[in-house]
Amino acid sequence: MRGNLRRLTELSLLTAAALIIFIIELQIPSPFVIPGIKLGLSNIITVYAVYRYRAFEAFSVLIVRILLGSIFSGNLTALIYSLTGGLLCFLGMLVFKRFIDERHLWISSVFGAVLHNTGQIAAALLLLQTPQILMYYPFLLLAGCLSGAFTGLCAQIIVNRIDIRKSDS
Amino acid sequence: MKYKILIIICVILTVLGAVGSILVLNSPPKTEVNIISDGKVIRSLDLSAQEDVEFTVTYKGKSNVVEVRDGKIRVKEADCPDKTCVKTGWLSSSAMPIVCLPNRLVIEFNDNESEVDAVAW
């Protein structure tokens, strides 16, 4: 029970941190006109949670962050894109986690970001029924690789600094 | 070794994205424009023959003001929260349709000109 409480607290802290990063990032004006292209800094927390916590725990951090984030930002229409992207990314990362170890976690972050953007495009295709949306895909692919590498490297730094054995005691 | 292959895949994806972006950006501009609301083409215009005009597209009570001037088209005003469509500015390439996700509005060049039922309005 004590372990549970400790984990719950850690997960809540992670979720809160992800939300704060998400809200702050919203305030930074994006130089790109294409919706969906941004750094996605809050995914640093997602990547970290995927690698350091059980699947279900990381999943709750992600879902709570997406739901509360879209409520706080007042942009509920973006929710469906965030959800499809986030879920696809999450499932992909669970798979990559099996054969990419912690010291190379930025690689799985890149793949995760690419999957995230793929999910968003798929959702947009289904919703808008305009195949021309696919023209966005190269941009999203490029942006996903770059931002995925960046957030992945940030998560890498965090993982290197926080020793799992200490926090598990 | 395994990681080298994975990193190479990452690089390939990045290069693919970059090359694709350049290709899409360099595709020649067209003059046939479709205005699509909620997946349906509600209006097609030929910008080269179109006179300057302003009109409002509404979807479920939400509206976007579309402006055509000097053979160019843009969303002038919108009541959506993010105003991405307004910030996109004039429609310049088929790679960058003007999209308003909240109001389900897309303004894009028609990629298949022969298919158009030229809608005069």
Side-chain angles (χ1 to χ4, degrees):
Chain A
M1 188 59 211
R2 252 188 92 175
N4 271 343
L5 202 57
R6 192 199 162 94
R7 263 184 124 67
L8 183 65
T9 317
E10 283 176 13
L11 290 172
S12 317
L13 269 175
L14 278 182
T15 312
L19 261 175
I20 292 167
I21 297 174
F22 181 78
I23 305 273
I24 290 176
E25 196 190 352
L26 275 182
Q27 305 306 315
I28 307 172
S30 164
F32 305 104
V33 286
I34 300 181
I37 291 198
K38 54 175 192 169
L39 269 173
L41 290 176
S42 55
N43 287 317
I44 297 173
I45 306 287
T46 316
V47 179
Y48 175 78
V50 164
Y51 267 81
R52 278 290 163 87
Y53 291 89
R54 284 191 283 268
F56 177 73
E57 295 170 332
F59 180 75
S60 7
V61 170
L62 176 69
I63 291 297
V64 171
R65 195 266 293 162
I66 291 178
L67 287 178
L68 286 183
S70 66
I71 290 172
F72 289 168
S73 65
N75 199 354
L76 280 174
T77 32
L79 179 62
I80 188 149
Y81 302 96
S82 314
L83 267 182
T84 39
L87 284 181
L88 199 62
C89 166
F90 178 75
L91 293 176
M93 297 254 299
L94 281 186
V95 176
F96 298 134
K97 184 189 167 189
R98 290 177 179 274
F99 57 93
I100 298 179
D101 67 26
E102 252 181 38
R103 287 182 32 243
H104 298 85
L105 114 190
W106 66 274
I107 301 179
S108 68
S109 167
V110 170
F111 289 128
V114 168
L115 279 177
H116 184 280
N117 289 350
T118 310
Q120 280 185 321
I121 281 279
L125 271 177
L126 282 177
L127 268 186
L128 294 173
Q129 303 278 324
T130 23
Q132 281 76 9
I133 297 274
L134 271 180
M135 295 286 234
Y136 276 163
Y137 192 58
F139 300 100
L140 287 181
L141 194 61
L142 181 62
C145 289
L146 297 180
S147 64
F150 181 75
T151 52
L153 286 172
C154 292
Q156 188 93 68
I157 294 171
I158 300 178
V159 163
N160 290 348
R161 291 203 180 167
I162 302 178
D163 192 340
I164 188 104
R165 276 155 301 176
K166 261 186 219 153
S167 60
D168 255 1
S169 62
Chain B
M1 188 57 206
K2 179 175 76 175
Y3 292 112
K4 267 190 190 153
I5 296 172
L6 288 171
I7 292 174
I8 289 170
I9 296 176
C10 291
V11 172
I12 291 175
L13 280 175
T14 316
V15 171
L16 270 184
V19 171
S21 308
I22 291 167
L23 281 183
V24 167
L25 279 180
N26 285 340
S27 50
K30 306 193 177 69
T31 57
E32 291 275 357
V33 168
N34 282 344
I35 296 164
I36 297 160
S37 177
D38 197 21
K40 288 183 287 287
V41 178
I42 53 164
R43 210 165 253 172
S44 296
L45 334 158
D46 185 354
L47 286 184
S48 53
Q50 179 63 45
E51 285 174 21
D52 295 357
V53 76
E54 237 175 67
F55 54 89
T56 308
V57 181
T58 40
Y59 169 76
K60 289 194 177 159
K62 298 281 207 160
S63 59
N64 298 60
V65 179
V66 180
E67 181 189 25
V68 180
R69 181 149 49 90
D70 304 330
K72 292 180 294 182
I73 189 165
R74 69 164 173 173
V75 175
K76 196 182 178 192
E77 281 164 40
D79 56 7
C80 52
D82 54 11
K83 303 269 190 293
T84 303
C85 48
V86 180
K87 285 181 209 146
T88 311
W90 301 102
L91 182 61
S92 58
S93 102
S94 44
M96 293 273 221
I98 302 172
V99 180
C100 182
L101 287 181
N103 297 359
R104 303 269 184 103
L105 176 76
V106 178
I107 300 175
E108 61 179 11
F109 286 109
N110 190 343
D111 282 327
N112 203 344
E113 303 220 355
S114 56
E115 232 177 46
V116 176
D117 308 327
V119 180
W121 67 283

